[in-house]
Amino acid sequence: MAVEFCMVYFGAELLTSAGLRTAQAAIAMSAFYLGSLGGRFGGAWLTRRAGRSVRLLCVSLAVTAAGFLLFWLAGLPVLMIAGLFFCGLGVANLWPLSLALTLAAAPRNADTASARTQLVGGAFVIAAPYLLGSLSDHLGLHAAFTIEPVLIGICTLLLLAGLRLPRPSGEDMG
């Protein structure tokens, strides 16, 4: 979620630095939302059968990373807009799948697991855009966006750590 909020708050600004006018950059940001919409529909369809959640979450992280890197490093507006689309496509399922896997990992403590997940997610959502803005003031926006690969890496590490935890017998993590 923090990746999404940083993109939403500062993505248009990076597009303007690549040569788009403000109105064009604002319109181009709709590619991110279009990707998110497609990702949610696709994710709902793909998770209808059990056993796909972990695989889809891994693919979502990879698509998010690839889309962000294309957006961040391309420099050409058309490629940056494609990157926005793919970043949105990947981001779309990160939160719902992560929450579902968290709740499945703690079937007897689902309330506590949900509360802790919301707390950590909320802290990242609040802190990440502020940190990006502060870094931008000191380093410039393009350099400040280095926080995004770090956030994606943290998500990946959390997923890997969660998959290594022992499961209650008979529980399928999907």
Side-chain angles (χ1 to χ4, degrees), residues 146-172:
T146 304
I147 192 173
E148 293 294 314
V150 171
L151 290 171
I152 294 168
I154 289 170
C155 290
T156 303
L157 291 175
L158 288 171
L159 174 61
L160 293 174
L163 293 175
R164 292 180 164 260
L165 293 174
R167 308 277 171 260
S169 61
E171 293 293 323
D172 178 25

Side-chain angles (χ1 to χ4, degrees), residues 15-104:
L15 287 167
T16 59
S17 70
L20 293 181
R21 292 190 312 261
T22 303
Q24 291 172 322
I27 291 169
M29 284 302 299
S30 62
F32 182 82
Y33 298 111
L34 185 61
S36 293
L37 180 65
R40 284 287 173 104
F41 278 119
W45 182 74
L46 288 170
T47 57
R48 287 191 310 191
R49 281 194 12 223
R52 293 182 174 180
S53 297
V54 172
R55 194 171 330 138
L56 182 57
L57 188 54
C58 292
V59 168
S60 292
L61 276 169
V63 171
T64 300
F68 172 74
L69 289 174
L70 181 60
F71 169 72
W72 186 42
L73 300 175
L76 296 172
V78 70
L79 293 177
M80 293 174 76
I81 294 167
L84 279 171
F85 175 81
F86 286 109
C87 190
L89 189 70
V91 162
N93 291 299
L94 294 181
W95 180 253
L97 290 174
S98 297
L99 183 59
L101 290 173
T102 299
L103 297 179

